[in-house]
Amino acid sequence: MLAAIGHALMMSFAMTWEILWALILGFGLSAIIQAVVSKEEMSRLLPDDSARTVTVACGLGAASSSCSYAAVALARSMFRRGANFTAAMAFQFASTNLVVELGILLALLMGWQFTLAEFTGGPLMIAIMVLLFKAFLTPRIVEAARQQADKGIQGHMEGHAAMDMSIHEGTIWQRMFSSKGRTAISHFFVMDWVMIWIDLGGGLLIAGALAAWVPQHFWQAFFLQGHPILSKLWGPLVGPIVAIVSFVCSIGNVPLAAVLWNGGISFGGVIAFIFADLIVLPILDIYRKYYGLKIGAFLLAIFYAAMSAAALVVEFVFQILHLIPQERKAQIVEGTIRWNYTTILNIVFLALASVLVIRFFRTGGPAMMRMMSGPGHHGEHHA
């Protein structure tokens, strides 16, 4: 028993070491964007559900880069400040599915084809969601959602959603390298890590346990690997369901996606699984709190349909273009930590992260974190 637990923990640690530098890079870029663009500016840019506005929402979401919980909280915050509901949902999807760190991790662990599929299927999924909203989202539903949202019921990450330390004066470069800018970047960087570590750590632990304990033949049977056509249809349908019950969200689902791919899930099933970080059980409960039970169920139905449909299209398009990897050898672990480019990059980026963390502690970061996590947090924090 202890040997099995040790094996799973070692697998989890090896996964963490493999992706560490990419996480630091992604969160660093995210912190810079959050420091130079305010949430009020974002909301003003999302007045309707036109193609132009939805495109802007996707760009802002991809730049803001959030964990699933923070993305949902940010979307509600923007909706309450006047952003269009559909545009806010597009922002929410882009901020977890079209972000730099996700693409890097997919390329590292699974291959560039998965990164291409993510950034091809993500906009397609958002487009399908927008079309479904145009067909089924009525003004009455939006008004009911707004009334519930305006109650301000707490879910997760409201403090992060309300925090605005962005710098408004000067050019982007001046904002980045000013004293206030460097402080804001350090605060956003640490806050993003604080809000993601449970999801990421949980994902790595679950992926390590599944990789170590679940035999390949179970996954092969579950994903209908012996039935080429059925498995391609089954994967995009069951991928989001696996995500819902696994509780793994945001970047934490990439290691588990690698385990599922090695186990036999279809290419489209992997993409659907990764898309589904915004319908895991804890987040479905947050939708209920934010927008009401009926609208939460409505969002689940729309999101699931968009995720599965987009992943199915990706499956068949990539098959036609011969872009689906023929071998199932996702690099979950290297076995041992070696002196290679991964180790060098980890050392360099850990040094950069330590600079940001030290500045966070020297500029009142812990006090602000306590304020954000306290009950009944309201208002904004300005640098």
Side-chain angles (χ1 to χ4, degrees), residues 37-56:
V37 182
S38 75
K39 297 180 181 67
E40 290 290 356
E41 289 174 324
M42 289 184 184
S43 295
R44 286 196 298 270
L45 291 170
L46 309 179
D48 52 42
D49 62 354
S50 66
R52 179 184 179 279
T53 298
V54 170
T55 301
V56 170

Side-chain angles (χ1 to χ4, degrees), residues 370-383:
R370 286 193 295 271
M371 180 188 71
M372 286 173 57
S373 60
H377 169 77
H378 295 285
E380 296 179 347
H381 182 96
H382 297 271

Side-chain angles (χ1 to χ4, degrees), residues 103-378:
I104 294 173
L105 294 192
L106 282 169
L108 283 176
L109 292 185
M110 304 183 69
W112 63 267
Q113 298 94 332
F114 290 90
T115 300
L116 180 61
E118 178 71 19
F119 287 106
T120 303
L124 176 62
M125 172 180 61
I126 293 170
I128 294 171
M129 180 199 72
V130 170
L131 291 175
L132 291 172
F133 274 167
K134 286 183 180 294
F136 300 107
L137 184 67
T138 64
R140 182 178 176 182
I141 293 175
V142 174
E143 182 56 31
R146 189 178 301 280
Q147 289 179 7
Q148 181 69 16
D150 284 340
K151 293 179 181 178
I153 296 174
Q154 298 289 296
H156 290 272
M157 296 300 164
E158 273 71 22
H160 187 274
M163 184 177 72
D164 191 353
M165 294 181 62
S166 52
I167 313 302
H168 305 276
E169 299 82 17
T171 65
I172 289 178
W173 291 106
Q174 289 171 335
R175 296 180 192 183
M176 282 175 55
F177 292 107
S178 67
S179 177
K180 287 185 177 180
R182 294 197 305 273
T183 297
I185 290 169
S186 72
H187 283 226
F188 279 116
F189 179 79
V190 175
M191 292 295 181
D192 283 351
W193 275 103
V194 168
M195 70 182 180
I196 194 70
W197 77 268
I198 293 178
D199 294 330
L200 182 59
L204 289 164
L205 287 172
I206 291 171
L210 291 177
W213 299 343
V214 179
Q216 289 288 91
H217 63 79
F218 171 83
W219 293 122
Q220 291 167 358
F222 182 74
F223 294 128
L224 307 180
Q225 193 178 21
H227 307 275
I229 296 177
L230 279 178
S231 65
K232 293 183 187 303
L233 298 173
W234 176 246
L237 293 175
V238 77
I241 296 173
V242 175
I244 289 173
V245 299
S246 72
F247 282 66
V248 182
C249 26
S250 210
I251 299 170
N253 61 15
V254 177
L256 182 52
V259 172
L260 298 179
W261 171 247
N262 286 349
I265 194 172
S266 69
F267 186 80
V270 170
I271 302 305
F273 171 81
I274 295 170
F275 284 160
D277 62 326
L278 287 170
I279 55 172
V280 297
L281 286 174
I283 286 181
L284 291 177
D285 188 53
I286 292 174
Y287 292 146
R288 178 187 63 80
K289 294 178 182 177
Y290 281 2
Y291 307 117
L293 179 60
K294 290 183 179 178
I295 296 172
F298 174 81
L299 292 178
L300 170 60
I302 295 293
F303 292 171
Y304 176 83
M307 292 164 183
S308 297
L312 193 60
V313 171
V314 165
E315 170 80 50
F316 286 103
V317 170
F318 273 55
Q319 182 180 20
I320 291 170
L321 298 176
H322 304 289
L323 290 174
I324 298 178
Q326 297 303 306
E327 295 184 353
R328 296 177 179 270
K329 294 183 178 179
Q331 184 174 323
I332 301 173
V333 292
E334 281 195 357
T336 59
I337 294 174
R338 300 173 183 173
W339 183 255
N340 54 20
Y341 81 94
T342 298
T343 300
I344 294 171
L345 287 172
N346 280 344
I347 292 171
V348 171
F349 279 93
L350 281 170
L352 293 173
S354 67
V355 172
L356 293 173
V357 171
I358 290 170
R359 188 172 186 88
F360 171 81
F361 279 97
R362 289 181 173 175
T363 53
M368 188 180 75
M369 188 184 298
R370 286 193 295 271
M371 180 188 71
M372 286 173 57
S373 60
H377 169 77
H378 295 285

